[in-house]
Amino acid sequence: MKKVSSIIAATALMISAACCTTSAATQAKAKKNAMKEWTFAVFLNADNNLDRFGVEDQEEMARVGSNENINIVTLIDRERGPAQINYIEKGNIKKIKDMGELDMGDYKELVKFAKFIKENYPAKHYMLGIWNHGSGWKAKTDPNVVRGISYDDSSNNHITTNDLTIATKLCSEALGQKIDILNMDACLMSMAEVAYAIKDNCNYFVGSEETEAGKGTPYDDVLNDWKPGMTPKALASHWVDAYAKSYQGGSQGTDNSTQSALDLSKIDGLMDALNGLSKTIMSGDYINKVRLAAGKTVRFAYPENIDLLHFVKNFKDLCSGDSSVMTACDKVETAAKAAIINSKTTAKKVSYNPDYAPYKEATGIAIYLPMRLNPEAKYAELGFSKANMWDDMLFALKDQYYVKNIVESACKGDFKELKNVISEAKKNPKNSSARMLVRDLNYAAYTEKKIPAKHKDEFDKLFKELKTALQNR
């Protein structure tokens, strides 16, 4: 009986121990999966020359660390090294999962990360960060067009702006709600084109119009002043303030910076206003004023990126008294200011000019407007371009600028470019700029009679040849 009793007792102890172990595991899992107020999740692509800054930024996060209200989680892929998911505790960067080598330039990895976050670190609010180099809107399919975000040097891949639309849609579906704040800790991403791409899947965006310093976001400053109960809008605005303060002699020293927070629910209104301005510009002869206004507007590391509101202000000044322009510009200003909830700039101190402030006219949203009015063909493939007429306006101005130069040359008796157009028109009779040229040449030659008399016969012959080429459709 003692032996049987001993066996029964031992069995009971084993069952009890197993239950305790199971209970402890269950409690640990429940604790990890407990719903917190916020989860900060950073897709930290350091598989490039920013590697050391990625390590430093995790250390900044660890100065504050996760607590009962907030999870801080990173997926970091280091240069020439494997990726891993880390849970950031106060004073400790805790590895959660080895991920092996990842292509962080593939938006699908961002989506997988969002799914992992939802399953393991659920929260009422989500801040999703994309950390890396950035360069605006362009596509990766053209070897001469390399803009986007999250460049992975191992794969030579990156996430395009059109990819961002797909990725944020799938991420929001995985999270079961819109991303509360999408932060792009990267250069040149606060553009109308980028905001349009993510507007349906995120509530707020925080990013920079200009290049960022290598140190990027001061994560300790942002997290230190985070308060329980802070709304996504308040946090997005606070982020901008903390960022600017850090570069005004704060934790990051002094440096040039721009940072802005956008309310993405207001982007559709901005698109409508941009449509109105685009139509107005296409309706008249505004090409010279657009070029002059653009020339006076603050530009960024990619000079075809200009500050939208600064451009509108300059264009209004040049069109004073033109009611249609005033109305269109006023609507853009109203819509853009509604979308920009906070914007700050800082400047590195220089001894030779204490008033140096390179981005003081930057207001928070950049837009594509190349100075030479020669937009890239790929721009028309952007979701932003398909949804409004800004690209139509740019291409129309390109044609006007092209035609204007040829007409001016012809009026001086120089027909070299006109002959080139005729040659191209014979190959492509549907050339829109050639058809515009016929109209403007006809007016200059036969209404205004600007062709020099000694070149009139040659011009008449070439003009007839051009019209014949365009009739051969």
Side-chain angles (χ1 to χ4, degrees), residues 371-390:
M371 185 63 187
R372 294 183 180 274
L373 300 178
N374 56 343
E376 297 151 75
K378 292 285 184 181
Y379 187 67
E381 299 176 11
L382 206 57
F384 169 89
S385 298
K386 292 178 180 178
N388 70 70
M389 301 179 71
W390 185 261

Side-chain angles (χ1 to χ4, degrees), residues 16-61:
S16 176
C19 287
C20 289
T21 301
T22 302
S23 176
T26 301
Q27 288 174 7
K29 184 177 181 181
K31 185 177 180 180
K32 183 179 82 167
N33 292 336
M35 177 77 75
K36 291 190 180 181
E37 187 176 352
W38 278 90
T39 290
F40 274 45
V42 184
F43 187 74
L44 210 161
N45 180 2
D47 196 355
N48 47 54
N49 62 352
L50 294 175
D51 180 72
R52 71 180 179 90
F53 295 112
V55 174
E56 289 177 8
D57 278 355
Q58 285 191 129
E59 292 171 352
E60 287 179 356
M61 297 174 201

